[in-house]
Amino acid sequence: MSQVYNWQLGRDMSYPYEGKFPDRQFAFVFNINRCIACQSCTMACKSTWTFSKGQEHMWWANVETKPYGGYPQFWDAKILNLLEKANPDMQTWDPAAGANAKAPYGKFGGQTIFEAGARMLQPAGARVLGYLPTDEEWVSPNIYEDNPVGPKGARYKFHTTGEQLPVHKTWFFYLARICNHCTYPACLAACPRRAIYKRPEDGIVLLDQSECRGYRKCVEACPYKKSMYRGNTRVSEKCIACYPRVEGTDPETEGQPMETRCMAACIGQIRMQGLVKLNSDGAWAEDRHHPLYYMVHVAKVALPLYPQFGTSPNGFYIPPRWVPREYLRQMFGPGVDQAIERYENPDRELLAVLQLFRRSNRIIFRYQIEEGPLVYEGPYRGKTVRIYNDTVIAFGKNGKEIFRTKVEEPLHVRTNKHQNSI
Amino acid sequence: MPYGEPDPQDPTVLIGVELPVNEDTDVEMAYVFAEEFARLGFSEAQVLDLFHQPYYAGAYRALGTLGEPRIREVVRETMGVWGQSRQVVEDAPQTSRDWDVGLDALQPRGAWGHER
């Protein structure tokens, strides 16, 4: 085991391999407050990559209803339970241990899936604490909400008004997920064939199917359960981050990097993807006007999903405002309270950056704000709100402007006559 | 439903499990949905309509719990602040030199393409 630095935990940790970091890292921010579980991302991915025989159970992108939903079922509850068994009552954070640029959430005092693996009774060759979901657990992408309900006994009919959908008796929210293309991937660590690798140019984690022998160690090890086994080919598969688009090989962008299918299809405008610069220790290099760097490291409104697992995931979430904080702290770490406070009361820059979501399918590398007039000032829920009509300009990899938008962006609507115009 | 009924003996299935709930969860949820959609450019009527759609389970639940008057109050308050987006109806271009099909061809027709 090597010692590597995990900035999300604020400390060094054990990892089976030496830390190697890409020039740029594939990363993304999802704003859960906006997600309505329309599943457009899910279907965009499915119809692009996993529509073949043997891939029926595969949803590289999925949206699950928390707290009870999960794909595969119970994935997070099971991993958390395993960690708790390995290190009872010790899976805690110390936010006061000095929150700084190298440790923005303080220090994690518990054990990661790599560290806890050594303490659990597993085969000697096992490097990561994990479990293999049952076939049944893979069946439903979002159990009880993944198919329309119809009258009993009538085939191919469903209630068009939705009355028969499950009624939630308590709080809930929709968690959209794809592979986190972790900085310290558990799937990569566990593969006895070394079939999984992290690309040096963009940090995308890929699985070489010609090397894979279907041992399913990656399926067992990935705490987010985003590596999946395909029965008819007897090898595993995983999200490839739509790498041809990220490489800029789609003719539409003329060589410029393009966001993945799931990002581009998001009608709720909850998603933004980027390629961030890394330091030599794997932490994010300062890049003040990169929108993802701003949201994760400056405004700190976007937080990693289950950072305590220790894989340093590169998916970040703006947490849902209405959910009890204890649950959110478990899911996103100790930065939750600050993130929600900032998102509830966005300052001038944050409000402008939030306008960048889904205005283009090109990957944004830098933004610039041109200040505009104060257009609203007044009380709102006990606080004073000021809205400036600033213009935010997005630039691509080649430094050229991709688009510009305003906080008070006019909404252009096609007339009914031309709804289908291209 | 393709699923069997949940097995009450299964310790991992959440049946009758208590979850922590804050008193103002529904109010907060209503504000979030109203704010987000107001920022996306929805009008007051469109946001209210969203709360009446059972498919938008979060907003629909908030309406059921808090009642119509309270939801109207939340939406009105939110729109006053965040509903600043101006709606501009922009028509598609009428002609293009590169197109060989006129936009008139895209007008709604009857079933199977026949004129109504």
Side-chain angles (χ1 to χ4, degrees), chain A residues 198-210:
Chain A
K198 198 166 168 65
R199 304 209 310 178
E201 61 269 41
D202 50 24
I204 290 173
V205 177
L206 293 181
L207 194 157
D208 183 344
Q209 293 190 314
S210 63

Side-chain angles (χ1 to χ4, degrees), chain A residues 146 161 171 343 380 411 418, chain B residues 3 20 35-36 54 86 88 91:
Chain A
D146 48 12
T161 52
W171 56 269
Y343 185 70
Y380 181 60
L411 191 73
H418 294 136
Chain B
Y3 317 107
E35 278 178 33
E36 294 294 345
R86 296 179 297 271
V88 178
D91 212 344

Side-chain angles (χ1 to χ4, degrees), chain A residues 115-397:
Chain A
E115 293 159 343
R119 296 176 63 155
M120 297 297 280
L121 289 175
Q122 286 196 335
R127 296 166 182 164
V128 185
L129 182 69
Y131 76 98
L132 209 51
T134 63
D135 287 352
E136 201 172 30
E137 288 169 349
W138 287 110
V139 167
S140 304
N142 196 15
I143 194 160
Y144 304 125
E145 293 192 35
D146 48 12
N147 66 319
V149 181
K152 274 202 181 252
R155 299 185 77 184
Y156 311 123
K157 284 193 185 258
F158 66 94
H159 294 296
T160 52
T161 52
E163 301 97 347
Q164 296 302 311
L165 288 169
V167 176
H168 300 277
K169 297 271 187 337
T170 182
W171 56 269
F172 66 97
F173 64 95
Y174 302 119
L175 184 71
R177 301 200 301 121
I178 62 170
C179 167
N180 289 296
H181 296 275
C182 303
T183 300
Y184 304 113
C187 56
L188 184 154
C191 180
R193 297 275 305 171
R194 297 197 178 188
I196 300 179
Y197 61 102
K198 198 166 168 65
R199 304 209 310 178
E201 61 269 41
D202 50 24
I204 290 173
V205 177
L206 293 181
L207 194 157
D208 183 344
Q209 293 190 314
S210 63
E211 287 295 319
C212 178
R213 292 294 179 271
Y215 300 146
R216 285 181 273 186
K217 289 293 178 191
C218 54
V219 184
E220 185 181 342
C222 172
Y224 303 100
K225 297 297 168 223
K226 281 296 177 190
S227 191
M228 297 156 200
Y229 179 70
R230 182 170 173 178
N232 63 344
T233 58
R234 299 183 190 176
V235 291
S236 296
E237 297 180 7
K238 68 176 289 300
C239 160
I240 59 169
C242 293
Y243 70 81
R245 290 166 69 101
V246 174
E247 287 172 358
T249 50
D250 189 297
E252 185 195 320
T253 57
E254 296 173 336
Q256 293 305 299
M258 193 183 196
E259 291 190 64
T260 65
R261 288 276 289 127
C262 59
M263 311 282 166
C266 180
I267 61 164
Q269 305 184 6
I270 81 156
R271 297 173 171 231
M272 187 192 292
Q273 182 216 314
L275 292 164
V276 296
K277 284 194 239 171
L278 297 186
N279 282 327
S280 57
D281 63 356
W284 288 22
E286 185 169 349
D287 193 359
R288 180 62 182 75
H289 291 102
H290 190 291
L292 297 193
Y293 182 87
Y294 172 76
M295 283 187 283
V296 172
H297 284 284
V298 181
K300 295 182 184 171
V301 290
L303 303 166
L305 178 64
Y306 291 116
Q308 66 268 43
F309 292 167
T311 61
S312 195
N314 289 300
F316 297 83
Y317 292 81
I318 301 179
R321 285 164 40 183
W322 61 88
V323 173
R325 296 297 169 87
E326 277 302 307
Y327 186 87
L328 293 178
R329 284 186 205 112
Q330 176 179 252
M331 184 170 264
F332 301 111
V336 158
D337 300 279
Q338 188 190 18
I340 291 181
E341 166 62 23
R342 292 294 306 273
Y343 185 70
E344 270 179 348
N345 306 291
D347 63 16
R348 193 169 176 171
E349 186 169 4
L350 179 57
L351 203 53
V353 170
L354 289 172
Q355 305 304 312
L356 294 170
F357 279 72
R358 299 266 48 81
R359 294 293 189 272
S360 168
N361 58 10
R362 311 289 198 275
I363 295 181
I364 303 169
F365 282 72
R366 182 171 68 85
Y367 69 89
Q368 182 185 317
I369 295 173
E370 283 179 1
E371 294 191 347
L374 179 69
V375 288
Y376 180 84
E377 182 173 14
Y380 181 60
R381 306 187 71 195
K383 295 198 171 158
T384 301
V385 173
R386 287 182 192 84
I387 303 174
Y388 294 87
N389 193 15
D390 294 337
T391 300
V392 58
I393 310 164
F395 297 92
K397 188 183 181 185

Side-chain angles (χ1 to χ4, degrees), chain A residues 5-13 80 83-84 87-113 115 224 302-313 316 325-337:
Chain A
Y5 187 73
N6 185 329
W7 66 268
Q8 295 180 3
L9 305 182
R11 66 172 172 85
D12 287 330
M13 66 163 202
L80 289 166
L83 281 167
E84 185 60 31
N87 192 26
D89 300 325
M90 299 292 282
Q91 294 294 96
T92 53
W93 289 84
D94 182 5
N100 55 60
K102 290 208 71 178
Y105 317 125
K107 191 174 176 183
F108 179 57
Q111 294 207 324
T112 66
I113 55 172
E115 293 159 343
Y224 303 100
L303 303 166
L305 178 64
Y306 291 116
Q308 66 268 43
F309 292 167
T311 61
S312 195
F316 297 83
R325 296 297 169 87
E326 277 302 307
Y327 186 87
L328 293 178
R329 284 186 205 112
Q330 176 179 252
M331 184 170 264
F332 301 111
V336 158
D337 300 279

